[in-house]
Amino acid sequence: MGRRKRTMLVLLCASVLAPLLLYTDRLSNLRADDPIQNNGFVEEVTNLGHKIENEKLNALPQELSSSVKEPIGIIYSENVSTSPPILAQFNDGSTTLRETQLRKSGEHKNRALSEAPEKKTPPLPDIGSVILQVTTKEENKSEVKLEPTSTKIVPGNNHPVNRNKNSGNSEILDSRVRHLKDQLIRAKVYLSLAATRTNAHFIRELRARIKDVQRALGEATKDSELPRNAYEKLKAMEQTLAKGQKIQDDCASVVKKLRAMLHSAEQQLQVHKKQALFLTQLAAKTLPKGLHCLPLKLTTEYYSLEPAKKHFPNEEKLEDPKLYHYALFSDNILATVVVVNSTVLNAKNPSNHVFHIVTDKLNYAAMKMWFLANPPGKATIEVQNIEEFTWLNVSYSPVLKQLGSRSMIDYYFRTHRANSDPNLKYRNPKYLSILNHLRFYLPEIFPKLDKVVFLDDDIVVQRDLSALWSIDLKGKVNGAVETCGESFHRFDRYLNFSNPVIAKKFDPRACGWAYGMNVFDLAEWRKQKITEVYHYWQKLNHDRQLWKLGTLPPGLITFWNNTFPLDRSWHVLGLGYDPHVNNKEIERAAVIHYNGNMKPWLEIGLRKYRGYWSKYVNYDQSFLRHCNINP
């Protein structure tokens, strides 16, 4: 009887110990045979998750070789509070799977085991950190650095400890999108390195991961735009990159490759900047379909009117020096409408305001028809055709002769490349339009007026401008807002000071001023013969050696020491190119100016400023609806 009991006890022990010994031996063989040692173990444990659900696994301590120190367990978890601990590290060198609960297939977390060499040699730099150092710039101090959340099990404690210093803060906005993009960069680096290219299995896996991440990323710019499986793709790629990091241990080649990629990216950036500049210049010169339709429709309506209906009322006010006269030279009907409407609607006494509009032959009928059909309240209006200024001819105006010359056309429009300027901003038809230079002939246009306010067609009036006529210009001819608050608005920005004629006469650091809203004392202008000064300098610049383009450089020269500075609140500039104009300055400004290429009537206009302009357009007007012009 005693012998039977002993036999049964031996068989029972064997049945218990044999499976455990076999399982321990299997784990040891796996570590010895897998070329990617730690990942083989991780993947084998992961595969158990496909077969076992909601069960606790208890593995016996594994025998480790003397060349391997204790592994460090890292768990990548989306939510630390819901991810159970997987690897527990103990000081005695053993590693235990404790209280592990694996999720269903496809939902388990990635694991990674790292080993420390026995020899006390300096550790190699982390390839991943090298990549991040080369490819990323310094983040704003207020931002949280993007790192995977790592959890460590403290000996004797079954609860995970979050090692992320910023665990108390919310995740960086759209950090997952940036993380996926960073992973793609790192993956491309590993694809091009010699050490990883020889590993066919790794390359296949990496390319598959790249496709997965690219599909998940798509065109997303925000985390909210990513698909639900994006996080799984991110973690799968992270595991593959960890394998690549172990295969490639030469940091120098990684840095070299990254620098080559960075140089290539910088070259591509320069190409894209040039393309963007070209397209912006092209868009600025292109007439939108609606603005092309509008003058055609208006012209047709004008020529269908009876002759008696083609005249404006209050013609007796056009030469009354006691009223407030505005000069506006433009071929853009909608822009002109906004200038007139905004001035009249903000005027305290609109009946005292007179608008003198000069346009070209092509737009004369359309411009006149608009204001005949939509009179500006009690204000007086006049539309003139520049072709009717018979005194403005090539024998009188040197600029008119220059604008029609073959050399000028070649210079601006690159008819002959050898004689043209490469700067794209010169390819603008306005520089060959006499309307742009008509501002230098105000006394000839208004021979019976003593003072006039010049307005550009890309401005919006926000306050009553009557006070401008009472400003004492102290004997100066031009009243304007100075722009020397910006370094690029000084004389040396516009004039060629390498030319001795310019260098001898002017100060390169002199403060510039703005065209767009200017008060001109025409009586003083005639007295000082300012138009002759303009003609003198224009003749000297026949070969474009003093300045290259536009009307501001000759304006700075013509009104040198003859400009009275107005308060800055009268005229705020930059709404056509600067997205950071101070909102308070805009709100209290009498005139806001959309100088630059991004005009509010174009698609490229800055949307944050468009409302200041569009509120003075009646989009319900029949002509605008017919031409499909919308806010």
Side-chain angles (χ1 to χ4, degrees), residues 154-203:
V154 179
N157 187 356
N158 292 338
H159 299 287
V161 177
N162 195 336
R163 299 193 302 184
N164 192 337
K165 296 180 180 180
N166 301 297
S167 59
N169 299 330
S170 60
E171 187 181 17
I172 307 175
L173 184 63
D174 306 325
S175 62
R176 191 164 294 172
V177 171
R178 293 200 298 270
H179 198 173
L180 287 169
K181 291 180 179 179
D182 289 343
Q183 283 184 334
L184 288 176
I185 295 175
R186 294 167 61 191
K188 291 177 182 178
V189 172
Y190 284 131
L191 280 177
S192 61
L193 297 176
T196 53
R197 281 203 307 267
T198 57
N199 191 323
H201 174 74
F202 172 75
I203 291 297

Side-chain angles (χ1 to χ4, degrees), residues 128 130-136 177-193 206 210 213-214 217 237 241 254 257-259 261-262 265:
V130 171
I131 293 176
L132 291 176
Q133 289 174 9
V134 176
T135 60
T136 61
V177 171
R178 293 200 298 270
H179 198 173
L180 287 169
K181 291 180 179 179
D182 289 343
Q183 283 184 334
L184 288 176
I185 295 175
R186 294 167 61 191
K188 291 177 182 178
V189 172
Y190 284 131
L191 280 177
S192 61
L193 297 176
L206 186 59
I210 290 174
V213 170
Q214 288 175 337
L217 189 59
M237 174 64 90
L241 292 175
V254 174
K257 179 61 181 178
L258 285 171
R259 285 177 176 167
M261 292 175 65
L262 182 61

Side-chain angles (χ1 to χ4, degrees), residues 462-486:
Q462 300 187 128
R463 287 191 352 228
D464 179 58
L465 300 183
S466 303
L468 288 172
W469 277 264
S470 61
I471 294 177
D472 184 4
L473 298 181
K474 309 293 185 183
K476 307 293 185 181
V477 176
N478 174 29
V481 171
E482 293 183 331
T483 57
C484 50
E486 303 288 347

Side-chain angles (χ1 to χ4, degrees), residues 10 49 92 127 160 167 266 285 352 357 368 376 477 502 525 542:
V10 170
D92 59 2
I127 299 291
S167 59
E266 289 176 346
K285 293 181 288 186
N352 289 336
I357 301 171
K368 196 169 183 180
V477 176
I502 295 293
W525 185 315
H542 66 93

Side-chain angles (χ1 to χ4, degrees), residues 245-394:
Q245 182 176 333
K246 293 177 181 178
I247 297 173
Q248 172 63 47
D249 58 358
D250 185 4
C251 292
S253 61
V254 174
V255 172
K256 183 178 179 180
K257 179 61 181 178
L258 285 171
R259 285 177 176 167
M261 292 175 65
L262 182 61
H263 179 69
S264 176
E266 289 176 346
Q267 288 182 325
Q268 292 179 9
L269 178 62
Q270 293 301 321
V271 171
H272 290 313
K273 282 184 176 180
K274 289 182 179 180
Q275 291 177 345
L277 177 61
F278 172 78
L279 293 175
T280 301
Q281 297 289 343
L282 182 63
K285 293 181 288 186
T286 302
L287 187 67
K289 184 178 179 180
L291 296 185
H292 179 70
C293 163
L294 184 60
L296 296 178
K297 177 66 176 175
L298 289 167
T299 301
T300 303
E301 292 292 326
Y302 178 78
Y303 286 111
S304 66
L305 289 178
E306 297 178 3
K309 296 182 179 180
K310 294 182 179 181
H311 300 282
F312 291 107
N314 304 322
E315 292 185 356
E316 69 279 0
K317 293 184 176 182
L318 296 178
E319 296 179 349
D320 188 348
K322 296 180 181 179
L323 301 179
Y324 308 131
H325 294 265
Y326 301 91
L328 179 57
F329 311 136
S330 175
D331 58 359
N332 188 321
I333 297 170
L334 194 60
T336 303
V337 169
V338 170
V339 175
V340 174
N341 287 350
S342 62
T343 306
V344 172
L345 289 173
N346 290 288
K348 294 179 180 178
N349 191 353
S351 61
N352 289 336
H353 296 259
V354 182
F355 295 90
H356 303 270
I357 301 171
V358 181
T359 189
D360 56 16
K361 181 179 180 180
L362 186 64
N363 292 280
Y364 170 72
M367 188 78 75
K368 196 169 183 180
M369 182 63 208
W370 176 275
F371 289 105
L372 286 170
N374 304 276
K378 296 180 179 180
T380 301
I381 197 158
E382 176 189 29
V383 178
Q384 294 177 277
N385 184 356
I386 193 173
E387 300 291 335
E388 296 175 358
F389 297 162
T390 55
W391 50 266
L392 187 61
N393 50 58
V394 294

